[in-house]
């Protein structure tokens, strides 16, 4: 892993920095929005990935990293027609050629090696990742995977298998773990452009694979819109991020900053801020505040509390992780809510007795009727409760019956520590 990418921190990235948004002002405003890393950065306006040093210098000045694209051979799984052909198209010798032309810079944290490959190409990707990590000792190889709704236009079962290269998405992730030696799994899921109920199943599969293998989970979320007339709301940004954190996500990457795909990106085609800038800045500030306390822990399980029977958001995970009315972890007892709540059970990375819950208010994931989720719980004797929100860290006191009370706004998230 890149020596420049501090994995002890919770990172926030964004996709695509077009040439019209590469002045010093643009990079400063990007940093002020809480972005740590630009993904798929082509550093040069003229297509030469090592020629434009100015933007990299600006990034170094404002402590923003870049994952460089265009240095190494491109690959994208697309509709699956090219599945299994990567080894022939991109032999290892091509990566040697890219490395010879590469000019290092402190702002370059990683190098892009492709996007959404078929599992039929995972064996070759295993060789590519290991090779690239040797060729680029200061960087890491960045690879993003399909979501579980990977499909093509006709969306038949056969075509979905053709795209993923496996019968199921679970098998897709298992094949990745088996063949590709990254210490993270990164995938994209655009909740408000597809079926939102599939999001929890996708999170469950990837998060469980990461837990079993000691890898980090990274996720690409949407700040832009698939429909031109719609803008993602502030709460929709929150729900995407906080629900991912309930599953232990350690890096959140927003698509897109400038033009890349779809509509209503953070900047318009003239490099000016859209209304998404202030929304993202506010949400990222909350995430940065929670991040240091959150990263002291790692996720071990995720639970659905207070979901009524037949709730659509959990339909796809009912059989393997059914909702509960009350949760007890041994330290946290009788965790209950008056509305749907995601609860990520977490334990200390330092192997001490500290434990935590990451709670996401899931009562209004579409931001149609925002309200408040009321949570109650008790603690094992000898523990005290502390809550970190997007703005504060507070000690909690129980009532006369030893019960703690929390009120979480719809789509919001908090970390509750038992210390």
């Amino acid at each position: 892993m890149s020596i420049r990418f501090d994995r002890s921190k919770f990172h926030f990235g964004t996709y695509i920095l077009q040439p019209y948004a590469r002045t010093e002002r643009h990079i400063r405003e990007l940093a002020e929005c809480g972005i740590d890393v630009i993904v798929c950065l082509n550093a040069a306006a003229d297509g030469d990935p090592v020629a434009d040093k100015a933007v990299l210098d600006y990034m170094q000045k404002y402590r923003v990293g870049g994952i460089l694209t265009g240095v190494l051979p491109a690959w994208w799984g697309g509709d699956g027609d090219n599945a299994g052909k990567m080894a022939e198209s991109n032999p290892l010798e091509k990566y040697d050629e890219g490395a010879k032309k590469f000019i290092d810079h402190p702002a370059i944290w990683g190098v892009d090696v492709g996007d959404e490959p078929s599992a039929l190409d995972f064996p070759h990707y295993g060789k590519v990742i290991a090779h690239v990590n040797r060729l680029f000792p200061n960087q890491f190889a960045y690879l993003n995977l399909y979501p579980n709704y990977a499909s093509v236009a006709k969306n038949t079962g056969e075509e979905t298998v053709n795209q993923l290269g496996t019968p199921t998405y679970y098998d897709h992730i298992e094949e990745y773990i088996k063949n590709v030696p990254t210490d993270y799994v990164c995938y994209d899921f655009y909740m408000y452009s597809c079926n939102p109920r599939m999001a929890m199943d996708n999170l469950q599969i990837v998060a469980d694979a990461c837990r079993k293998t000691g890898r980090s989970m990274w996720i690409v979320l949407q700040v832009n819109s698939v429909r031109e007339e719609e803008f993602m709301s502030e709460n929709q940004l929150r729900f995407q991020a906080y629900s991912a954190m309930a599953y232990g996500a350690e890096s959140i990457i927003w698509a897109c900053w400038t033009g890349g795909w779809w509509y209503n990106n953070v900047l318009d085609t003239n490099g000016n801020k859209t209304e998404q800038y202030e929304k993202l800045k506010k949400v990222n500030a909350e995430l940065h505040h929670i991040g240091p306390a959150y990263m002291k822990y790692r996720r071990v399980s995720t639970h659905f509390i207070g979901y009524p029977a037949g709730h659509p958001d959990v339909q796809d995970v009912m059989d393997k992780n059914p909702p509960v009315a009350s949760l007890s972890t041994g330290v946290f007892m009788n965790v209950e809510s008056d509305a749907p709540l995601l609860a990520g059970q977490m334990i200390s990375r330092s192997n001490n007795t500290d434990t935590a819950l990451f709670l996401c208010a899931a009562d209004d994931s579409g931001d149609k009727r925002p309200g408040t989720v009321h949570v109650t719980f008790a603690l094992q004797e000898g523990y005290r409760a502390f809550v970190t929100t997007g703005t504060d860290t507070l000690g909690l006191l129980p009532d006369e019956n030893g019960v703690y009370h929390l009120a979480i706004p719809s789509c919001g998230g908090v970390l509750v520590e038992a210390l």
Side-chain angles (χ1 to χ4, degrees):
M1 180 51 65
S2 166
I3 61 173
R4 295 167 183 162
F5 193 6
D6 184 354
R7 296 290 295 282
S8 68
K9 296 180 179 179
F10 193 16
H11 282 92
F12 308 94
T14 191
Y15 262 89
I16 314 297
L17 190 72
Q18 295 287 4
Y20 54 76
R22 294 181 180 176
T23 67
E24 181 172 2
R25 173 182 65 83
H26 283 112
I27 302 303
R28 182 185 69 249
E29 291 175 348
L30 186 144
E32 290 171 349
C33 193
I35 298 297
D36 302 307
V37 59
I38 303 166
V39 181
C40 292
L41 168 72
N42 186 334
D46 62 1
D48 179 355
V50 298
D52 188 357
K53 184 172 177 291
V55 69
L56 295 172
D57 288 343
Y58 297 146
M59 289 166 58
Q60 183 183 9
K61 178 177 178 179
Y62 294 102
R63 299 180 180 178
V64 176
I67 297 174
L68 209 61
T69 192
V71 174
L72 299 176
W75 188 259
W76 179 46
D79 63 6
D81 285 345
N82 60 0
K85 301 175 183 178
M86 183 188 173
E88 180 182 356
S89 175
N90 294 353
L92 294 183
E93 292 77 13
K94 285 192 175 182
Y95 297 87
D96 294 327
E97 295 169 7
K100 290 175 183 176
K101 299 176 183 177
F102 175 70
I103 298 175
D104 200 3
H105 188 285
I108 304 174
W109 292 2
V111 286
D112 179 34
V113 295
D115 188 44
E116 298 181 331
S118 164
L120 299 181
D121 291 302
F122 286 166
H124 185 60
Y125 255 119
K127 298 174 185 177
V128 167
I129 296 290
H131 195 59
V132 168
N133 286 338
R134 288 193 295 268
L135 292 173
F136 296 83
N138 294 326
Q139 286 78 31
F140 71 97
Y142 174 76
L143 177 61
N144 178 64
L145 302 183
Y146 284 120
N148 63 357
Y149 56 83
S151 61
V152 292
K154 294 181 182 178
N155 197 27
T156 67
E158 181 181 351
E159 287 165 329
T160 299
V161 170
N162 187 38
Q163 198 173 28
L164 291 175
T166 52
T168 69
Y169 190 75
Y170 175 87
D171 294 327
H172 187 74
I173 297 300
E174 287 294 300
E175 285 299 306
Y176 180 86
I177 296 294
K178 175 183 174 182
N179 288 283
V180 185
T182 57
D183 62 354
Y184 66 90
V185 179
C186 182
Y187 76 100
D188 55 72
F189 196 104
Y190 306 124
M191 184 181 296
Y192 299 105
S193 65
C194 67
N195 187 341
R197 60 182 266 195
M198 300 176 73
M200 299 304 137
D201 189 43
N202 208 148
L203 283 164
Q204 183 94 35
I205 291 170
V206 178
D208 286 351
C210 288
R211 176 182 54 79
K212 287 187 296 185
T213 60
R215 303 188 189 205
S216 300
M217 183 173 76
W218 302 354
I219 187 167
V220 184
L221 305 175
Q222 66 180 119
V223 64
N224 63 6
S225 313
V226 70
R227 289 170 286 274
E228 189 172 6
E229 67 277 10
E230 294 182 6
F231 284 78
M232 291 297 101
S233 72
E234 196 175 291
N235 262 358
Q236 287 174 322
L237 302 185
R238 282 194 181 93
F239 185 72
Q240 291 178 86
Y242 286 135
S243 60
M245 292 171 72
Y247 281 89
E250 296 179 15
S251 184
I252 290 173
I253 303 165
W254 297 103
C256 290
W257 187 261
T258 59
W261 55 90
W262 298 347
Y263 304 98
N264 307 321
N265 296 298
V266 180
L267 301 188
D268 64 22
T269 54
N270 295 313
N272 297 319
K273 299 173 185 175
T274 69
E275 65 182 73
Q276 299 308 91
Y277 181 91
E278 291 300 329
K279 296 175 190 175
L280 187 59
K281 183 178 180 180
K282 187 172 182 180
V283 172
N284 277 346
E286 295 175 11
L287 300 175
H288 273 286
H289 186 266
I290 296 174
Y294 174 81
M295 288 299 289
K296 294 190 300 184
Y297 301 91
R298 60 181 178 86
R299 176 256 185 196
V300 293
S301 60
T302 306
H303 306 273
F304 305 102
I305 303 173
Y307 280 76
H311 194 285
D313 286 1
V314 293
Q315 248 178 10
D316 287 359
V317 292
M318 286 282 289
D319 57 336
K320 50 192 170 186
N321 191 10
V324 297
S326 181
L327 172 70
S328 292
T329 70
V331 173
F332 289 91
M333 297 180 293
N334 303 320
V335 183
E336 299 177 359
S337 65
D338 64 354
L341 179 75
L342 280 170
Q345 182 181 351
M346 309 185 82
I347 60 173
S348 171
R349 295 178 189 269
S350 302
N351 297 317
N352 58 26
T353 58
D354 295 348
T355 185
L357 291 177
F358 190 87
L359 305 178
C360 172
D363 59 314
D364 186 38
S365 59
D367 194 26
K368 304 297 184 184
R369 295 175 298 279
T372 303
V373 176
H374 297 93
V375 183
T376 58
F377 63 93
L379 287 180
Q380 187 185 90
E381 187 176 352
Y383 283 89
R384 295 180 60 198
F386 296 83
V387 60
T388 300
T389 71
T391 56
D392 297 295
T393 299
L394 305 167
L396 295 181
L397 294 176
D399 65 17
E400 64 273 12
N401 298 312
V403 177
Y404 293 85
H405 298 259
L406 271 176
I408 308 174
S410 296
C411 300
V414 300
L415 179 77
V416 184
E417 298 178 83
L419 306 177

